[in-house]
Amino acid sequence: MAREQVFNFSAGPSVLPASALERAKADLLDYRGCGMSVMEMSHRSPMFQEIFDSTKQKLKEALSVPDSHEILFLQGGATLQFAAIPMNLIEGGTADYAVTGNFSHKAAAEAEKYGTVHVAASTADTGHDRIPAQEELRLSADAKYFYYCANNTIYGTEWQYVPRTAAPLVCDMSSDILSKPVDVSRYGLIYAGAQKNMAPAGLTVVILDKALCGRELPFTPEIMSYRTLVKHDSMLNTPPCWCIYMLGLVLDWLAEQGGVKGMEQIKRARAAKLYDFLDNSALYRAHALPGSRSDMNVTFRTDSKELDAEFVKGAAARGLVNVKGHRITGGMRASLYNAMPMEGVDALIAYMKEFERDHV
Amino acid sequence: MAREQVFNFSAGPSVLPASALERAKADLLDYRGCGMSVMEMSHRSPMFQEIFDSTKQKLKEALSVPDSHEILFLQGGATLQFAAIPMNLIEGGTADYAVTGNFSHKAAAEAEKYGTVHVAASTADTGHDRIPAQEELRLSADAKYFYYCANNTIYGTEWQYVPRTAAPLVCDMSSDILSKPVDVSRYGLIYAGAQKNMAPAGLTVVILDKALCGRELPFTPEIMSYRTLVKHDSMLNTPPCWCIYMLGLVLDWLAEQGGVKGMEQIKRARAAKLYDFLDNSALYRAHALPGSRSDMNVTFRTDSKELDAEFVKGAAARGLVNVKGHRITGGMRASLYNAMPMEGVDALIAYMKEFERDHV
């Protein structure tokens, strides 16, 4: 089966740019004639250091990261950051958490081990179908930081604004990083698992205001101390070399798309097309409310669990794979990450129309 | 340049079996006709679950892991385990550490954050040129565990016996796992960074006696709790999928070599050839003492730093790359991990002879 016949709507790990995969394939046994795979290189070798440095530089440029902030290439995913963030920043005090979905809920629960968590907002009462407005945020006077998840992968909602808070902003951008411009200077810390818009699973990117280093609790593991990691430029130990290399290739592709500005136009067009179809459908309904909708994860359903299951099965048979919703929500989810071509959205809508015609 | 022209003696990340790399290359864009790269697969998909389960099963068979023990595929490397081990096992009490090199030293230092570290043996006074004998181990009566590093990558020493202790054995096997049979039932916990004998950097394998779960300190991050990780079969969050897939391919190759028994014969022959040459040389001398020598990392030097540097430079010019010793020790180091062919050792010795002829 040719690769082009499948469109992968997985919420993560997810579709990667074909050009990046092709480059990786061409170099797999022998990177630039060095006789080694990138997978075999010493992380202390000049050749890998060049890959590391250039990837970091490309990311710095793609997101216009100011010199006040450091980029870290880490392991452990968001779940490790759920602990690392309070261990490094809460100082035994209070932090504000906006709970708008599953991952911000988990982050808040983990932080309770290390300090006082104040829920500044929660959308649990309406099935996390929206993002709270600035006016709804109940901010603590003494918060060490304000935590939120920019895009809720499971529910399909996305913050359309940057919260205004006195405390440093800490943001999980796992599923919308690199999809639009971000003013990094407004954040104390941004982090993202790579396995959606950046690279294969196994890499976590942290972008940190260096002024926040040095506040870790005494029992913080060295591998989770931002101060230590900044000092060692992410190489306290062997980094996830292959994923860093892949991120570099994905960033090359991103630059060809016009960077994050180009990507913003593309992702808006992609999502608008699907939401427009949903809002005019007699069979499907979108989960997230207008004004809170994610351009990355479009969640929808019919009124019947049986129809939902039939839809998912029929989609897979056509090469539209991984459109089943998360087990928490049920229904369907089409993740439209950076590497999803418009043809994938068109193919999905064509199938949705056909399925609707056959079932209404 | 053809791939075969380079022999990579890196201490890690290091050479991988060519057959595993070739398989990865063939499948890179389209794994078994599914239209996706392994790098793009949802970790919750049946196709990736099959890769995960089969890799775990292959490792279980390769090391004859008993049912009492669980295999975990984690992230964060040895440095994360330096903290996770005491967080999970020390219970605020005492643990015995044998300090035989850099990594056991670091492990002991990290453990001091979580309990009392008792140094049961140290070989620092002789530059870590040997492994202490059983009789030298000063064991605590109440130790929660006994920690040692089976193979000291930097110094080139390797434990030739399994310590007898009342406390559970905890062992860092990062650089000699899968090089010989191991009686896993004798260990409470074995762990290894994958980037030497197993897979690309970014995967840490933990093999744990399940009876040791549930003792974690209250502030242990969920991502470091063995109980939680066992409960979720390593998938508390997205695992390092690509590295797990690569490990499966390496284990296929290992089985073709006769498994760990076959590998033991090969690695002994490889190292013996190089040590024999060193012991009969007028120019080079081995760092590690007979009886303590590693079959994985052979450390040696001349009597001159200038000659050492010239040796390393000349080696690289011949495609014998990464033979420079660690910055702590200086000199040279030839890492002879599983995937190093005998031809690599032969080529190294041929160069060493020539260099000796020209410099004695």
Side-chain angles (χ1 to χ4, degrees), chain A residues 1 16 30 40 75 110 113-114 219-220 222, chain B residues 1 16 30 40 76 110 113-114 219-220 222:
Chain A
M1 185 193 280
L16 290 165
D30 190 358
E40 302 176 297
Q75 298 184 55
E110 184 77 342
K113 292 178 184 166
Y114 310 105
F219 53 74
T220 304
E222 285 304 294
Chain B
M1 184 193 280
L16 290 166
D30 189 359
E40 301 176 297
E110 184 78 343
K113 291 179 185 166
Y114 311 105
F219 53 74
T220 305
E222 285 304 294

mmCIF file with all atom_site columns, all heavy atoms in Angstrom, chain A residues 1 16 30 40 75 110 113-114 219-220 222, chain B residues 1 16 30 40 76 110 113-114 219-220 222:
data_model
loop_
_atom_site.group_PDB
_atom_site.id
_atom_site.type_symbol
_atom_site.label_atom_id
_atom_site.label_alt_id
_atom_site.label_comp_id
_atom_site.label_asym_id
_atom_site.label_entity_id
_atom_site.label_seq_id
_atom_site.pdbx_PDB_ins_code
_atom_site.Cartn_x
_atom_site.Cartn_y
_atom_site.Cartn_z
_atom_site.occupancy
_atom_site.B_iso_or_equiv
_atom_site.pdbx_formal_charge
_atom_site.auth_seq_id
_atom_site.auth_comp_id
_atom_site.auth_asym_id
_atom_site.auth_atom_id
_atom_site.pdbx_PDB_model_num
ATOM 1   N N   . MET A 1 1   ? 0.857  -1.201 0.000  1.00 0.00 ? 1   MET A N   1
ATOM 2   C CA  . MET A 1 1   ? 0.000  0.000  0.000  1.00 0.00 ? 1   MET A CA  1
ATOM 3   C C   . MET A 1 1   ? 0.886  1.243  0.000  1.00 0.00 ? 1   MET A C   1
ATOM 4   O O   . MET A 1 1   ? 1.830  1.341  0.752  1.00 0.00 ? 1   MET A O   1
ATOM 5   C CB  . MET A 1 1   ? -0.884 0.015  1.262  1.00 0.00 ? 1   MET A CB  1
ATOM 6   C CG  . MET A 1 1   ? -1.872 1.167  1.268  1.00 0.00 ? 1   MET A CG  1
ATOM 7   S SD  . MET A 1 1   ? -2.624 1.378  2.911  1.00 0.00 ? 1   MET A SD  1
ATOM 8   C CE  . MET A 1 1   ? -3.876 0.100  2.860  1.00 0.00 ? 1   MET A CE  1
ATOM 9   N N   . LEU A 1 16  ? 3.823  12.774 10.797 1.00 0.00 ? 16  LEU A N   1
ATOM 10  C CA  . LEU A 1 16  ? 5.005  13.627 10.656 1.00 0.00 ? 16  LEU A CA  1
ATOM 11  C C   . LEU A 1 16  ? 5.146  14.013 9.186  1.00 0.00 ? 16  LEU A C   1
ATOM 12  O O   . LEU A 1 16  ? 4.635  13.312 8.306  1.00 0.00 ? 16  LEU A O   1
ATOM 13  C CB  . LEU A 1 16  ? 6.263  12.871 11.129 1.00 0.00 ? 16  LEU A CB  1
ATOM 14  C CG  . LEU A 1 16  ? 6.346  12.611 12.637 1.00 0.00 ? 16  LEU A CG  1
ATOM 15  C CD1 . LEU A 1 16  ? 7.418  11.567 12.949 1.00 0.00 ? 16  LEU A CD1 1
ATOM 16  C CD2 . LEU A 1 16  ? 6.638  13.905 13.400 1.00 0.00 ? 16  LEU A CD2 1
ATOM 17  N N   . ASP A 1 30  ? 23.804 5.930  7.300  1.00 0.00 ? 30  ASP A N   1
ATOM 18  C CA  . ASP A 1 30  ? 25.059 6.659  7.091  1.00 0.00 ? 30  ASP A CA  1
ATOM 19  C C   . ASP A 1 30  ? 24.751 8.145  6.992  1.00 0.00 ? 30  ASP A C   1
ATOM 20  O O   . ASP A 1 30  ? 24.383 8.651  5.935  1.00 0.00 ? 30  ASP A O   1
ATOM 21  C CB  . ASP A 1 30  ? 25.722 6.145  5.803  1.00 0.00 ? 30  ASP A CB  1
ATOM 22  C CG  . ASP A 1 30  ? 27.127 6.665  5.617  1.00 0.00 ? 30  ASP A CG  1
ATOM 23  O OD1 . ASP A 1 30  ? 27.598 7.450  6.461  1.00 0.00 ? 30  ASP A OD1 1
ATOM 24  O OD2 . ASP A 1 30  ? 27.759 6.287  4.614  1.00 0.00 ? 30  ASP A OD2 1
ATOM 25  N N   . GLU A 1 40  ? 23.637 5.901  16.339 1.00 0.00 ? 40  GLU A N   1
ATOM 26  C CA  . GLU A 1 40  ? 24.865 5.299  16.862 1.00 0.00 ? 40  GLU A CA  1
ATOM 27  C C   . GLU A 1 40  ? 25.886 6.323  17.349 1.00 0.00 ? 40  GLU A C   1
ATOM 28  O O   . GLU A 1 40  ? 26.951 5.950  17.829 1.00 0.00 ? 40  GLU A O   1
ATOM 29  C CB  . GLU A 1 40  ? 25.528 4.449  15.766 1.00 0.00 ? 40  GLU A CB  1
ATOM 30  C CG  . GLU A 1 40  ? 24.649 3.344  15.228 1.00 0.00 ? 40  GLU A CG  1
ATOM 31  C CD  . GLU A 1 40  ? 25.326 2.613  14.083 1.00 0.00 ? 40  GLU A CD  1
ATOM 32  O OE1 . GLU A 1 40  ? 25.584 3.251  13.039 1.00 0.00 ? 40  GLU A OE1 1
ATOM 33  O OE2 . GLU A 1 40  ? 25.595 1.408  14.227 1.00 0.00 ? 40  GLU A OE2 1
ATOM 34  N N   . GLN A 1 75  ? 13.493 14.338 28.578 1.00 0.00 ? 75  GLN A N   1
ATOM 35  C CA  . GLN A 1 75  ? 12.710 13.110 28.460 1.00 0.00 ? 75  GLN A CA  1
ATOM 36  C C   . GLN A 1 75  ? 11.582 13.119 29.502 1.00 0.00 ? 75  GLN A C   1
ATOM 37  O O   . GLN A 1 75  ? 11.532 13.967 30.371 1.00 0.00 ? 75  GLN A O   1
ATOM 38  C CB  . GLN A 1 75  ? 13.603 11.891 28.700 1.00 0.00 ? 75  GLN A CB  1
ATOM 39  C CG  . GLN A 1 75  ? 14.735 11.730 27.691 1.00 0.00 ? 75  GLN A CG  1
ATOM 40  C CD  . GLN A 1 75  ? 15.532 10.448 27.924 1.00 0.00 ? 75  GLN A CD  1
ATOM 41  O OE1 . GLN A 1 75  ? 14.987 9.357  27.961 1.00 0.00 ? 75  GLN A OE1 1
ATOM 42  N NE2 . GLN A 1 75  ? 16.827 10.579 28.093 1.00 0.00 ? 75  GLN A NE2 1
ATOM 43  N N   . GLU A 1 110 ? -0.923 16.193 40.688 1.00 0.00 ? 110 GLU A N   1
ATOM 44  C CA  . GLU A 1 110 ? 0.482  15.894 40.996 1.00 0.00 ? 110 GLU A CA  1
ATOM 45  C C   . GLU A 1 110 ? 1.111  17.024 41.819 1.00 0.00 ? 110 GLU A C   1
ATOM 46  O O   . GLU A 1 110 ? 1.880  16.775 42.759 1.00 0.00 ? 110 GLU A O   1
ATOM 47  C CB  . GLU A 1 110 ? 1.266  15.690 39.693 1.00 0.00 ? 110 GLU A CB  1
ATOM 48  C CG  . GLU A 1 110 ? 2.720  15.275 39.864 1.00 0.00 ? 110 GLU A CG  1
ATOM 49  C CD  . GLU A 1 110 ? 2.898  13.802 40.223 1.00 0.00 ? 110 GLU A CD  1
ATOM 50  O OE1 . GLU A 1 110 ? 1.937  13.150 40.664 1.00 0.00 ? 110 GLU A OE1 1
ATOM 51  O OE2 . GLU A 1 110 ? 4.035  13.297 40.070 1.00 0.00 ? 110 GLU A OE2 1
ATOM 52  N N   . LYS A 1 113 ? 1.353  17.263 45.735 1.00 0.00 ? 113 LYS A N   1
ATOM 53  C CA  . LYS A 1 113 ? 2.407  16.628 46.533 1.00 0.00 ? 113 LYS A CA  1
ATOM 54  C C   . LYS A 1 113 ? 3.440  17.639 47.016 1.00 0.00 ? 113 LYS A C   1
ATOM 55  O O   . LYS A 1 113 ? 4.201  17.346 47.932 1.00 0.00 ? 113 LYS A O   1
ATOM 56  C CB  . LYS A 1 113 ? 3.137  15.564 45.699 1.00 0.00 ? 113 LYS A CB  1
ATOM 57  C CG  . LYS A 1 113 ? 2.309  14.340 45.347 1.00 0.00 ? 113 LYS A CG  1
ATOM 58  C CD  . LYS A 1 113 ? 3.142  13.388 44.479 1.00 0.00 ? 113 LYS A CD  1
ATOM 59  C CE  . LYS A 1 113 ? 2.314  12.205 44.028 1.00 0.00 ? 113 LYS A CE  1
ATOM 60  N NZ  . LYS A 1 113 ? 2.974  11.459 42.936 1.00 0.00 ? 113 LYS A NZ  1
ATOM 61  N N   . TYR A 1 114 ? 3.514  18.779 46.359 1.00 0.00 ? 114 TYR A N   1
ATOM 62  C CA  . TYR A 1 114 ? 4.655  19.679 46.573 1.00 0.00 ? 114 TYR A CA  1
ATOM 63  C C   . TYR A 1 114 ? 4.284  21.051 47.105 1.00 0.00 ? 114 TYR A C   1
ATOM 64  O O   . TYR A 1 114 ? 5.155  21.865 47.401 1.00 0.00 ? 114 TYR A O   1
ATOM 65  C CB  . TYR A 1 114 ? 5.438  19.816 45.260 1.00 0.00 ? 114 TYR A CB  1
ATOM 66  C CG  . TYR A 1 114 ? 5.740  18.470 44.652 1.00 0.00 ? 114 TYR A CG  1
ATOM 67  C CD1 . TYR A 1 114 ? 5.040  17.999 43.551 1.00 0.00 ? 114 TYR A CD1 1
ATOM 68  C CD2 . TYR A 1 114 ? 6.677  17.620 45.254 1.00 0.00 ? 114 TYR A CD2 1
ATOM 69  C CE1 . TYR A 1 114 ? 5.284  16.735 43.027 1.00 0.00 ? 114 TYR A CE1 1
ATOM 70  C CE2 . TYR A 1 114 ? 6.920  16.356 44.736 1.00 0.00 ? 114 TYR A CE2 1
ATOM 71  C CZ  . TYR A 1 114 ? 6.224  15.916 43.627 1.00 0.00 ? 114 TYR A CZ  1
ATOM 72  O OH  . TYR A 1 114 ? 6.454  14.670 43.128 1.00 0.00 ? 114 TYR A OH  1
ATOM 73  N N   . PHE A 1 219 ? 14.571 17.931 47.737 1.00 0.00 ? 219 PHE A N   1
ATOM 74  C CA  . PHE A 1 219 ? 14.565 16.532 47.287 1.00 0.00 ? 219 PHE A CA  1
ATOM 75  C C   . PHE A 1 219 ? 14.346 16.391 45.780 1.00 0.00 ? 219 PHE A C   1
ATOM 76  O O   . PHE A 1 219 ? 14.074 15.304 45.291 1.00 0.00 ? 219 PHE A O   1
ATOM 77  C CB  . PHE A 1 219 ? 13.512 15.731 48.055 1.00 0.00 ? 219 PHE A CB  1
ATOM 78  C CG  . PHE A 1 219 ? 12.134 16.335 48.032 1.00 0.00 ? 219 PHE A CG  1
ATOM 79  C CD1 . PHE A 1 219 ? 11.350 16.282 46.882 1.00 0.00 ? 219 PHE A CD1 1
ATOM 80  C CD2 . PHE A 1 219 ? 11.615 16.961 49.156 1.00 0.00 ? 219 PHE A CD2 1
ATOM 81  C CE1 . PHE A 1 219 ? 10.084 16.834 46.857 1.00 0.00 ? 219 PHE A CE1 1
ATOM 82  C CE2 . PHE A 1 219 ? 10.337 17.530 49.137 1.00 0.00 ? 219 PHE A CE2 1
ATOM 83  C CZ  . PHE A 1 219 ? 9.578  17.462 47.977 1.00 0.00 ? 219 PHE A CZ  1
ATOM 84  N N   . THR A 1 220 ? 14.454 17.498 45.052 1.00 0.00 ? 220 THR A N   1
ATOM 85  C CA  . THR A 1 220 ? 14.274 17.430 43.597 1.00 0.00 ? 220 THR A CA  1
ATOM 86  C C   . THR A 1 220 ? 15.386 16.594 42.954 1.00 0.00 ? 220 THR A C   1
ATOM 87  O O   . THR A 1 220 ? 16.566 16.873 43.164 1.00 0.00 ? 220 THR A O   1
ATOM 88  C CB  . THR A 1 220 ? 14.289 18.855 43.002 1.00 0.00 ? 220 THR A CB  1
ATOM 89  O OG1 . THR A 1 220 ? 13.280 19.630 43.656 1.00 0.00 ? 220 THR A OG1 1
ATOM 90  C CG2 . THR A 1 220 ? 14.033 18.833 41.505 1.00 0.00 ? 220 THR A CG2 1
ATOM 91  N N   . GLU A 1 222 ? 18.184 15.429 40.458 1.00 0.00 ? 222 GLU A N   1
ATOM 92  C CA  . GLU A 1 222 ? 19.034 16.224 39.571 1.00 0.00 ? 222 GLU A CA  1
ATOM 93  C C   . GLU A 1 222 ? 18.461 16.289 38.164 1.00 0.00 ? 222 GLU A C   1
ATOM 94  O O   . GLU A 1 222 ? 18.513 17.327 37.507 1.00 0.00 ? 222 GLU A O   1
ATOM 95  C CB  . GLU A 1 222 ? 20.453 15.628 39.510 1.00 0.00 ? 222 GLU A CB  1
ATOM 96  C CG  . GLU A 1 222 ? 21.277 15.892 40.748 1.00 0.00 ? 222 GLU A CG  1
ATOM 97  C CD  . GLU A 1 222 ? 21.384 17.371 41.075 1.00 0.00 ? 222 GLU A CD  1
ATOM 98  O OE1 . GLU A 1 222 ? 21.985 18.124 40.293 1.00 0.00 ? 222 GLU A OE1 1
ATOM 99  O OE2 . GLU A 1 222 ? 20.831 17.770 42.114 1.00 0.00 ? 222 GLU A OE2 1
ATOM 100 N N   . MET B 1 1   ? 31.030 7.297  1.175  1.00 0.00 ? 1   MET B N   1
ATOM 101 C CA  . MET B 1 1   ? 31.810 6.301  1.943  1.00 0.00 ? 1   MET B CA  1
ATOM 102 C C   . MET B 1 1   ? 30.887 5.145  2.363  1.00 0.00 ? 1   MET B C   1
ATOM 103 O O   . MET B 1 1   ? 29.793 5.363  2.862  1.00 0.00 ? 1   MET B O   1
ATOM 104 C CB  . MET B 1 1   ? 32.417 6.959  3.206  1.00 0.00 ? 1   MET B CB  1
ATOM 105 C CG  . MET B 1 1   ? 33.315 6.019  4.006  1.00 0.00 ? 1   MET B CG  1
ATOM 106 S SD  . MET B 1 1   ? 33.684 6.687  5.654  1.00 0.00 ? 1   MET B SD  1
ATOM 107 C CE  . MET B 1 1   ? 34.983 7.842  5.250  1.00 0.00 ? 1   MET B CE  1
ATOM 108 N N   . LEU B 1 16  ? 25.141 -0.103 16.473 1.00 0.00 ? 16  LEU B N   1
ATOM 109 C CA  . LEU B 1 16  ? 23.970 -0.985 16.497 1.00 0.00 ? 16  LEU B CA  1
ATOM 110 C C   . LEU B 1 16  ? 24.130 -2.020 15.387 1.00 0.00 ? 16  LEU B C   1
ATOM 111 O O   . LEU B 1 16  ? 24.861 -1.796 14.418 1.00 0.00 ? 16  LEU B O   1
ATOM 112 C CB  . LEU B 1 16  ? 22.693 -0.170 16.266 1.00 0.00 ? 16  LEU B CB  1
ATOM 113 C CG  . LEU B 1 16  ? 22.303 0.766  17.428 1.00 0.00 ? 16  LEU B CG  1
ATOM 114 C CD1 . LEU B 1 16  ? 21.254 1.769  16.977 1.00 0.00 ? 16  LEU B CD1 1
ATOM 115 C CD2 . LEU B 1 16  ? 21.799 -0.043 18.620 1.00 0.00 ? 16  LEU B CD2 1
ATOM 116 N N   . ASP B 1 30  ? 6.777  3.250  6.022  1.00 0.00 ? 30  ASP B N   1
ATOM 117 C CA  . ASP B 1 30  ? 5.559  2.449  5.919  1.00 0.00 ? 30  ASP B CA  1
ATOM 118 C C   . ASP B 1 30  ? 5.800  1.100  6.589  1.00 0.00 ? 30  ASP B C   1
ATOM 119 O O   . ASP B 1 30  ? 6.344  0.189  5.988  1.00 0.00 ? 30  ASP B O   1
ATOM 120 C CB  . ASP B 1 30  ? 5.219  2.269  4.430  1.00 0.00 ? 30  ASP B CB  1
ATOM 121 C CG  . ASP B 1 30  ? 3.862  1.647  4.215  1.00 0.00 ? 30  ASP B CG  1
ATOM 122 O OD1 . ASP B 1 30  ? 3.176  1.331  5.199  1.00 0.00 ? 30  ASP B OD1 1
ATOM 123 O OD2 . ASP B 1 30  ? 3.486  1.473  3.038  1.00 0.00 ? 30  ASP B OD2 1
ATOM 124 N N   . GLU B 1 40  ? 5.005  7.483  13.808 1.00 0.00 ? 40  GLU B N   1
ATOM 125 C CA  . GLU B 1 40  ? 3.727  8.201  13.717 1.00 0.00 ? 40  GLU B CA  1
ATOM 126 C C   . GLU B 1 40  ? 2.573  7.463  14.390 1.00 0.00 ? 40  GLU B C   1
ATOM 127 O O   . GLU B 1 40  ? 1.443  7.947  14.395 1.00 0.00 ? 40  GLU B O   1
ATOM 128 C CB  . GLU B 1 40  ? 3.358  8.400  12.245 1.00 0.00 ? 40  GLU B CB  1
ATOM 129 C CG  . GLU B 1 40  ? 4.387  9.167  11.450 1.00 0.00 ? 40  GLU B CG  1
ATOM 130 C CD  . GLU B 1 40  ? 4.020  9.247  9.981  1.00 0.00 ? 40  GLU B CD  1
ATOM 131 O OE1 . GLU B 1 40  ? 3.940  8.185  9.319  1.00 0.00 ? 40  GLU B OE1 1
ATOM 132 O OE2 . GLU B 1 40  ? 3.802  10.359 9.480  1.00 0.00 ? 40  GLU B OE2 1
ATOM 133 N N   . GLY B 1 76  ? 14.472 8.750  30.689 1.00 0.00 ? 76  GLY B N   1
ATOM 134 C CA  . GLY B 1 76  ? 15.220 9.484  31.705 1.00 0.00 ? 76  GLY B CA  1
ATOM 135 C C   . GLY B 1 76  ? 16.611 8.963  32.003 1.00 0.00 ? 76  GLY B C   1
ATOM 136 O O   . GLY B 1 76  ? 17.374 9.637  32.699 1.00 0.00 ? 76  GLY B O   1
ATOM 137 N N   . GLU B 1 110 ? 23.182 11.039 44.753 1.00 0.00 ? 110 GLU B N   1
ATOM 138 C CA  . GLU B 1 110 ? 21.761 11.371 44.576 1.00 0.00 ? 110 GLU B CA  1
ATOM 139 C C   . GLU B 1 110 ? 20.909 10.723 45.668 1.00 0.00 ? 110 GLU B C   1
ATOM 140 O O   . GLU B 1 110 ? 19.972 11.337 46.189 1.00 0.00 ? 110 GLU B O   1
ATOM 141 C CB  . GLU B 1 110 ? 21.299 10.905 43.190 1.00 0.00 ? 110 GLU B CB  1
ATOM 142 C CG  . GLU B 1 110 ? 19.869 11.263 42.834 1.00 0.00 ? 110 GLU B CG  1
ATOM 143 C CD  . GLU B 1 110 ? 19.668 12.722 42.410 1.00 0.00 ? 110 GLU B CD  1
ATOM 144 O OE1 . GLU B 1 110 ? 20.552 13.559 42.688 1.00 0.00 ? 110 GLU B OE1 1
ATOM 145 O OE2 . GLU B 1 110 ? 18.613 13.019 41.827 1.00 0.00 ? 110 GLU B OE2 1
ATOM 146 N N   . LYS B 1 113 ? 19.816 12.314 49.099 1.00 0.00 ? 113 LYS B N   1
ATOM 147 C CA  . LYS B 1 113 ? 18.651 13.195 49.262 1.00 0.00 ? 113 LYS B CA  1
ATOM 148 C C   . LYS B 1 113 ? 17.473 12.479 49.916 1.00 0.00 ? 113 LYS B C   1
ATOM 149 O O   . LYS B 1 113 ? 16.551 13.123 50.394 1.00 0.00 ? 113 LYS B O   1
ATOM 150 C CB  . LYS B 1 113 ? 18.181 13.705 47.893 1.00 0.00 ? 113 LYS B CB  1
ATOM 151 C CG  . LYS B 1 113 ? 19.117 14.662 47.202 1.00 0.00 ? 113 LYS B CG  1
ATOM 152 C CD  . LYS B 1 113 ? 18.535 15.060 45.833 1.00 0.00 ? 113 LYS B CD  1
ATOM 153 C CE  . LYS B 1 113 ? 19.514 15.936 45.073 1.00 0.00 ? 113 LYS B CE  1
ATOM 154 N NZ  . LYS B 1 113 ? 19.130 16.052 43.651 1.00 0.00 ? 113 LYS B NZ  1
ATOM 155 N N   . TYR B 1 114 ? 17.498 11.153 49.877 1.00 0.00 ? 114 TYR B N   1
ATOM 156 C CA  . TYR B 1 114 ? 16.291 10.391 50.229 1.00 0.00 ? 114 TYR B CA  1
ATOM 157 C C   . TYR B 1 114 ? 16.468 9.439  51.408 1.00 0.00 ? 114 TYR B C   1
ATOM 158 O O   . TYR B 1 114 ? 15.510 8.814  51.850 1.00 0.00 ? 114 TYR B O   1
ATOM 159 C CB  . TYR B 1 114 ? 15.797 9.617  48.992 1.00 0.00 ? 114 TYR B CB  1
ATOM 160 C CG  . TYR B 1 114 ? 15.711 10.516 47.788 1.00 0.00 ? 114 TYR B CG  1
ATOM 161 C CD1 . TYR B 1 114 ? 16.661 10.457 46.764 1.00 0.00 ? 114 TYR B CD1 1
ATOM 162 C CD2 . TYR B 1 114 ? 14.714 11.487 47.704 1.00 0.00 ? 114 TYR B CD2 1
ATOM 163 C CE1 . TYR B 1 114 ? 16.602 11.327 45.679 1.00 0.00 ? 114 TYR B CE1 1
ATOM 164 C CE2 . TYR B 1 114 ? 14.652 12.361 46.629 1.00 0.00 ? 114 TYR B CE2 1
ATOM 165 C CZ  . TYR B 1 114 ? 15.599 12.275 45.621 1.00 0.00 ? 114 TYR B CZ  1
ATOM 166 O OH  . TYR B 1 114 ? 15.548 13.145 44.566 1.00 0.00 ? 114 TYR B OH  1
ATOM 167 N N   . PHE B 1 219 ? 6.456  11.957 48.297 1.00 0.00 ? 219 PHE B N   1
ATOM 168 C CA  . PHE B 1 219 ? 6.630  12.979 47.261 1.00 0.00 ? 219 PHE B CA  1
ATOM 169 C C   . PHE B 1 219 ? 7.178  12.418 45.952 1.00 0.00 ? 219 PHE B C   1
ATOM 170 O O   . PHE B 1 219 ? 7.599  13.167 45.072 1.00 0.00 ? 219 PHE B O   1
ATOM 171 C CB  . PHE B 1 219 ? 7.534  14.110 47.776 1.00 0.00 ? 219 PHE B CB  1
ATOM 172 C CG  . PHE B 1 219 ? 8.851  13.642 48.335 1.00 0.00 ? 219 PHE B CG  1
ATOM 173 C CD1 . PHE B 1 219 ? 9.860  13.214 47.495 1.00 0.00 ? 219 PHE B CD1 1
ATOM 174 C CD2 . PHE B 1 219 ? 9.070  13.614 49.718 1.00 0.00 ? 219 PHE B CD2 1
ATOM 175 C CE1 . PHE B 1 219 ? 11.080 12.781 48.000 1.00 0.00 ? 219 PHE B CE1 1
ATOM 176 C CE2 . PHE B 1 219 ? 10.285 13.185 50.227 1.00 0.00 ? 219 PHE B CE2 1
ATOM 177 C CZ  . PHE B 1 219 ? 11.294 12.759 49.368 1.00 0.00 ? 219 PHE B CZ  1
ATOM 178 N N   . THR B 1 220 ? 7.177  11.094 45.811 1.00 0.00 ? 220 THR B N   1
ATOM 179 C CA  . THR B 1 220 ? 7.669  10.489 44.571 1.00 0.00 ? 220 THR B CA  1
ATOM 180 C C   . THR B 1 220 ? 6.762  10.874 43.395 1.00 0.00 ? 220 THR B C   1
ATOM 181 O O   . THR B 1 220 ? 5.553  10.668 43.460 1.00 0.00 ? 220 THR B O   1
ATOM 182 C CB  . THR B 1 220 ? 7.706  8.954  44.710 1.00 0.00 ? 220 THR B CB  1
ATOM 183 O OG1 . THR B 1 220 ? 8.494  8.617  45.852 1.00 0.00 ? 220 THR B OG1 1
ATOM 184 C CG2 . THR B 1 220 ? 8.280  8.295  43.469 1.00 0.00 ? 220 THR B CG2 1
ATOM 185 N N   . GLU B 1 222 ? 4.635  10.593 40.106 1.00 0.00 ? 222 GLU B N   1
ATOM 186 C CA  . GLU B 1 222 ? 3.948  9.423  39.536 1.00 0.00 ? 222 GLU B CA  1
ATOM 187 C C   . GLU B 1 222 ? 4.810  8.739  38.481 1.00 0.00 ? 222 GLU B C   1
ATOM 188 O O   . GLU B 1 222 ? 4.844  7.511  38.392 1.00 0.00 ? 222 GLU B O   1
ATOM 189 C CB  . GLU B 1 222 ? 2.612  9.842  38.904 1.00 0.00 ? 222 GLU B CB  1
ATOM 190 C CG  . GLU B 1 222 ? 1.527  10.153 39.912 1.00 0.00 ? 222 GLU B CG  1
ATOM 191 C CD  . GLU B 1 222 ? 1.273  8.994  40.860 1.00 0.00 ? 222 GLU B CD  1
ATOM 192 O OE1 . GLU B 1 222 ? 0.802  7.935  40.407 1.00 0.00 ? 222 GLU B OE1 1
ATOM 193 O OE2 . GLU B 1 222 ? 1.571  9.158  42.055 1.00 0.00 ? 222 GLU B OE2 1
#
